[in-house]
Amino acid sequence: MPVIEDPDNRYNVGQRLLTPESSGAAAGAVQAYRLAASETFRMPEPVQSPPPVMPADYARQTLPPTTLCVRVIIAAEGQVERVEPLLEHASCTAGRELEHASLLQASIAAATQWTFRPAAICHFSPGSTPIAQGDCTGAVRVEQVPVTLLYAFTFEVVKGEARVRSQTGVR
């Protein structure tokens, strides 16, 4: 994961897309689209995804790697419709602890600002198939669809050092 230097030099934040856990038909469970043989799914692509900003009043000089998670609901047009805390995922238990509430809120605030190239179901003529998984080239119809993505943010404070880690490169 590339390192992103933060000008405040106070903290590290790493982000990653989570895989939904199998939860049956539980309320709020992420449901996958069912595709025909002549269809493919194009994942949404981040256009703008600023990392969380450590709260200005965050006083801790050290924090071991602490993972907080959010559920990002993206409208068919690619804008974030809403962001919710994700507490039930096995990787996300720190979000239940009151001491991390400000970090969870920072994660929600950051993800609320994100924008995406829309997710889509690409429909091809009967008998034809996509060039590659997620490639809509040659599709007879591209249907933008809403999606829900799960993101984990790992916060770490090391002796007041400031680095923000992200999968998108140095900012």
Side-chain angles (χ1 to χ4, degrees):
M1 183 182 304
V3 174
I4 295 178
E5 295 300 325
D6 178 68
D8 288 343
N9 200 23
R10 292 186 43 210
Y11 67 100
N12 297 331
V13 180
Q15 79 182 43
R16 70 182 189 281
L17 185 62
L18 293 174
T19 303
E21 294 178 321
S22 177
S23 59
V30 176
Q31 301 298 319
Y33 286 103
R34 299 194 191 287
L35 302 173
S38 62
E39 297 173 332
T40 191
F41 180 76
R42 182 184 72 202
M43 284 290 290
E45 295 176 23
V47 173
Q48 183 176 359
S49 57
V53 174
M54 187 66 81
D57 60 349
Y58 196 78
R60 291 179 66 167
Q61 290 296 306
T62 61
L63 174 71
T66 302
T67 301
L68 300 153
C69 306
V70 295
R71 180 180 291 111
V72 181
I73 296 91
I74 303 168
E77 298 77 25
Q79 78 273 15
V80 172
E81 195 169 281
R82 71 181 184 278
V83 179
E84 304 168 344
L86 176 63
L87 306 175
E88 64 275 8
H89 195 283
S91 299
C92 308
T93 57
R96 298 178 193 153
E97 298 173 25
L98 187 57
E99 70 178 303
H100 301 308
S102 65
L103 301 179
L104 184 57
Q105 192 56 44
S107 300
I108 291 169
T112 299
Q113 299 174 44
W114 293 359
T115 57
F116 294 83
R117 175 178 173 226
I121 295 176
C122 311
H123 303 270
F124 293 85
S125 300
S128 64
T129 56
I131 295 170
Q133 178 68 26
D135 188 345
C136 293
T137 304
V140 294
R141 184 168 59 98
V142 177
E143 174 188 3
Q144 295 179 351
V145 294
V147 294
T148 298
L149 299 178
L150 311 178
Y151 278 92
F153 298 94
T154 302
F155 290 80
E156 181 178 19
V157 178
V158 181
K159 298 178 186 173
E161 290 183 15
R163 289 179 298 179
V164 179
R165 297 181 184 197
S166 171
Q167 297 173 343
T168 57
V170 177
R171 293 185 206 187

